[in-house]
Amino acid sequence: MSVSTRLKRMTVAALGVVAVIAGVLLITPHFVSEYEARNAAVRALRDATGVEPRIEGPVRLTLLPRPAVRIENVRLEDGKRPAFTAAALRATVQILPLLSGHVQIASLTFEQPRLSVEVAGDGAFLIGIPLRPRTATEPPMQPEIRFVEGTVHFKDTHTDNVEPLSNVDAALAWSGAGLTASGSFEWRGAPASLSLSIADTTAFGRGDRTGFRVRIETEPLKVGFDGGIAYRNGVQADGVLAAEAKSLRDGLKLLSFAPLTRGGFGPFKLKAQAALTANSLALTGLSIDLDGNRAAGGLTAKYDGGRAVIQATLASEASNFTPYSGGFAVNGDDERDWSREPIDLAALDKLDLDVRFSSGRVVVRKTELTRVAATVSMRNGKFTLTVGDAQFHGGSLRGRAALGKSGDGTPEVKIEANIADFDLAPGLAELAGIQRIEGKGTLVLALDGAGKHVHAITRGLSGGITFAAKDGVLNGINVEQVLRRLERKPLSGAPDFMGGRTSFDRLTAKLRVTEGTAKVEEANVESALVRVKLAGEASVVHRDFDLKGTATLVRAAAPANAAQSFDLPFLVIGPWDRPFLLPDPTALIQRSGAAAPLLDAARKQAAREKAASESDDDAEAAPGAVPATTAPAAAPAAEAR
């Protein structure tokens, strides 16, 4: 048979099918009345829901593009749940039974439906549309139920909050006693899709466990569950829970939750064995990956008194918390000033949190801790970070930082820390930008303040700081060498203080902080050759020194007739990281044998000028006083009288 002959036969067959269909559509109205079509649609709807529908609009049979019964204004109500309404119900009709005058419904499509779902305290869902559970013995062919351009309102019966879903397009299909559903919708302006399946709805209705699978996908967040579900004094489920997000921050926005920090909360993955009860969720075998940080452990979450409560225990080999330092950043981007980034505490009111965390290594910006055991809590609007134990540059660190709100809502912070026996050079550089001290030391501090950002907090900072070090080195100056040179030639010119090292046996400091200013109550540097004492103030706000001190050159084995020490007063001014050391010029002049008489003469002259100035001021202040320069001329005039 030639190709052209085959094409002709295929064309004739196609035309025949079209003619048959056209004929069916033309003669159907003569065999099927709208009344029969209406009754068939009502029977199918009653069979699917178990409720007699109330029809408040016209009914008509349409033939194109497919035979269907269209019923306007449909309402389903059983007196036990919120009413379900739809602008129209379109029931499609199977074509072959229609040829014999029988109307069989293939699908039920609700147009512009309005559905209410009430969520009870035990997690149960009261769905506005009644669905009659199927049994495994029922005929497998049941009409598919669809929803087009619908609206669903989820209502929390405990708080009366209503969450709407719009543009809902969904489909329900039965397979024996099993139910599957899929659809798309918009939630808070974001497109989303859902699919779920219940293996045996009859068993679920009896309170028995049955297979359950659900998956919700939105643009930022995907969540899936595969396991079993039952209803026994509330919804219970157990199975594998998985979640994934390109940006967890965007996903949390859909839940009306803003993270406490302004950075981080990016790529996210979670997988765990989940157990769901009426108002709690427990995750075991938890594996979580957030911003490249991986941790394992367990988590429980529950809803109590209108607040979410989360408890977790997590362990990690290494963690980088730098992305989360925004909002908690101590230093600005240039690392030379305190951060002026506003502290946002809105998230503290959203939930209660208690996380126990351990990690082999933790990095926050330039600070690194190892072997960390810490607890993070959020409770009653207060954030607390407690480090029970950590290694910090060879030493141990324990501390507590609390962030909350004062009575007027201003952020307030309290810090307590004890860092023992740590390496000073890298440790002080990270903590305060001080890079000129080496050795081992211990730092104890207790500070508190309030303000909109860290810079403002430093202005009102109060508390105390103690610092002790031993067997260390002061870099950038050789105190002994400078003192010996100035002792020999006090006025030989300004010595070069930069460069060199000063070893010390002991260094101690005690400071009292009040309104952003640290007053030095005690500061000593001691070694076998030199002693240094300091007093004055250091500004926490501006990170600079305004100190006065005395450096002493010690000669323990000096002859009896020789001076046992050489003392030199000095000033320390300038920024913390690069302070300026200036000797007292008056003291240097006094040490110079040639210049000392000149200094004494200058002092005497200054004293005489001051006395004369005070005498003149007293004369001007006395009533009727006559200036000394005019007194000789006035005397003869008086004698003439």
Side-chain angles (χ1 to χ4, degrees):
M1 184 181 297
S2 65
V3 175
S4 60
T5 303
R6 291 179 180 178
L7 290 175
K8 290 180 180 180
R9 291 185 176 182
M10 292 176 62
T11 303
V12 172
L15 292 175
V17 171
V18 172
V20 170
I21 294 175
V24 170
L25 295 178
L26 289 174
I27 65 175
T28 293
H30 300 284
F31 292 93
V32 179
S33 66
E34 289 189 354
Y35 177 78
E36 294 178 19
R38 178 187 185 280
N39 288 342
V42 170
R43 283 195 304 270
L45 186 57
R46 184 172 55 242
D47 184 59
T49 64
V51 175
E52 185 71 26
R54 183 166 43 170
I55 300 173
E56 300 175 348
V59 179
R60 65 178 183 273
L61 177 64
T62 61
L63 301 178
L64 295 176
R66 180 179 177 178
V69 180
R70 183 176 178 83
I71 305 175
E72 305 286 344
N73 296 330
V74 177
R75 184 181 183 91
L76 297 173
E77 191 171 8
D78 62 357
K80 300 178 181 179
R81 66 196 76 215
F84 171 84
T85 62
L89 170 65
R90 187 171 182 270
T92 59
V93 179
Q94 297 183 20
I95 295 179
L96 293 180
L98 195 62
L99 296 177
S100 60
H102 298 289
V103 180
Q104 292 186 8
I105 303 301
S107 66
L108 299 172
T109 301
F110 293 97
E111 298 178 0
Q112 299 179 12
R114 295 182 62 85
L115 173 66
S116 294
V117 179
E118 294 184 354
V119 183
D122 59 0
F125 288 81
L126 185 62
I127 303 176
I129 181 173
L131 294 174
R132 186 178 65 83
R134 303 290 177 178
T135 63
T137 59
E138 288 191 64
M141 295 299 295
Q142 298 293 336
E144 183 183 53
I145 300 176
R146 295 180 179 179
F147 305 90
V148 179
E149 297 181 358
T151 301
V152 179
H153 291 92
F154 282 86
K155 181 181 179 181
D156 188 335
T157 58
H158 180 73
T159 62
D160 289 333
N161 291 332
V162 177
E163 189 70 38
L165 306 181
S166 59
N167 294 328
V168 178
D169 292 339
L172 303 178
W174 295 93
S175 177
L179 174 67
T180 60
S182 62
S184 63
F185 54 91
E186 287 188 7
W187 180 29
R188 298 182 177 179
S193 63
L194 177 144
S195 63
L196 67 83
S197 64
I198 301 176
D200 190 338
T201 56
T202 305
F204 180 74
R206 293 195 306 265
D208 297 334
R209 184 181 185 276
T210 184
F212 177 71
R213 178 181 297 175
V214 63
R215 183 172 179 83
I216 301 175
E217 295 187 8
T218 65
E219 180 62 28
L221 183 65
K222 300 178 182 178
V223 179
F225 176 84
D226 190 352
I229 190 172
Y231 185 82
R232 308 184 188 114
N233 297 322
V235 174
Q236 300 178 6
D238 62 274
V240 177
L241 176 67
E244 181 179 353
K246 295 180 180 178
S247 171
L248 181 59
R249 181 176 297 274
D250 293 340
L252 293 175
K253 286 182 180 178
L254 292 177
L255 304 175
S256 297
F257 180 78
L260 187 59
T261 65
R262 296 191 177 185
F265 291 90
F268 166 78
K269 288 184 179 180
L270 178 148
K271 189 173 184 180
Q273 187 70 28
L276 176 69
T277 60
N279 62 348
S280 67
L281 172 67
L283 303 181
T284 58
L286 172 65
S287 174
I288 186 171
D289 190 326
L290 178 61
D291 295 315
N293 298 316
R294 297 181 180 180
L299 180 149
T300 61
K302 61 182 179 179
Y303 196 72
D304 186 15
R307 290 175 64 86
V309 180
I310 298 177
Q311 296 177 318
T313 300
L314 301 173
S316 172
E317 293 183 1
S319 303
N320 186 350
F321 291 159
T322 301
Y324 317 113
S325 62
F328 287 99
V330 175
N331 296 322
D333 295 336
D334 59 0
E335 299 293 334
R336 293 182 177 273
D337 193 9
W338 302 112
S339 173
R340 297 174 185 264
E341 182 179 0
I343 300 175
D344 186 2
L345 303 181
L348 294 178
D349 299 325
K350 298 295 184 179
L351 58 80
D352 289 342
L353 179 70
D354 187 359
V355 178
R356 301 181 184 274
F357 176 78
S358 62
S359 179
R361 176 173 173 267
V362 173
V363 176
V364 182
R365 292 197 174 188
K366 295 183 179 181
T367 302
E368 180 177 334
L369 302 175
T370 58
R371 298 171 59 185
V372 178
T375 300
V376 178
S377 66
M378 289 170 52
R379 188 174 292 112
N380 299 324
K382 184 177 182 180
F383 173 88
T384 303
L385 170 63
T386 302
V387 179
D389 189 24
Q391 300 297 309
F392 179 72
H393 294 291
S396 63
L397 181 150
R398 294 183 178 181
R400 180 175 178 270
L403 180 64
K405 299 178 183 179
S406 60
D408 60 358
T410 302
E412 61 179 3
V413 63
K414 294 183 179 181
I415 301 174
E416 299 175 356
N418 186 320
I419 311 175
D421 203 27
F422 69 102
D423 292 329
L424 299 177
L428 292 179
E430 291 182 3
L431 294 174
I434 300 174
Q435 304 177 357
R436 294 181 177 271
I437 305 178
E438 295 181 7
K440 289 283 188 176
T442 297
L443 176 65
V444 179
L445 59 87
L447 301 170
D448 62 82
K452 295 182 179 180
H453 42 66
V454 174
H455 187 274
I457 290 174
T458 60
R459 291 185 176 275
L461 199 64
S462 299
I465 302 173
T466 60
F467 175 68
K470 60 182 180 180
D471 300 329
V473 174
L474 294 175
N475 285 314
I477 185 173
N478 188 325
V479 177
E480 179 193 4
Q481 185 181 54
V482 170
L483 290 178
R484 290 188 183 280
R485 177 178 174 183
L486 292 176
E487 183 185 27
R488 293 193 306 268
K489 298 180 179 181
L491 301 180
S492 60
D496 184 7
F497 297 128
M498 303 303 294
R501 295 156 59 90
T502 299
S503 299
F504 61 83
D505 300 325
R506 190 167 69 96
L507 186 156
T508 59
K510 184 177 181 180
L511 296 86
R512 176 60 53 186
V513 182
T514 305
E515 294 184 353
T517 299
K519 182 179 180 180
V520 179
E521 296 183 345
E522 176 187 350
N524 300 306
V525 180
E526 299 179 2
S527 72
L529 299 176
V530 296
R531 290 196 302 267
V532 179
K533 292 186 177 181
L534 285 171
E537 298 179 345
S539 174
V540 180
V541 179
H542 303 293
R543 299 193 189 198
D544 59 17
F545 294 114
D546 184 9
L547 305 174
K548 295 180 180 180
T550 302
T552 301
L553 181 62
V554 180
R555 287 185 289 267
N561 59 349
Q564 295 297 312
S565 63
F566 168 62
D567 297 330
L568 176 65
F570 63 91
L571 305 175
V572 179
I573 59 175
W576 289 355
D577 56 345
R578 296 182 63 85
F580 298 99
L581 178 62
L582 303 175
D584 188 339
T586 303
L588 293 178
I589 293 175
Q590 287 179 334
R591 298 292 302 183
S592 173
L598 297 176
L599 178 61
D600 291 338
R603 284 179 173 174
K604 292 179 181 179
Q605 178 64 26
R608 288 194 297 268
E609 292 179 356
K610 181 178 181 182
S613 176
E614 292 176 352
S615 176
D616 292 343
D617 292 341
D618 293 340
E620 291 178 0
V626 179
T629 54
T630 63
E639 293 176 359
R641 294 196 184 104

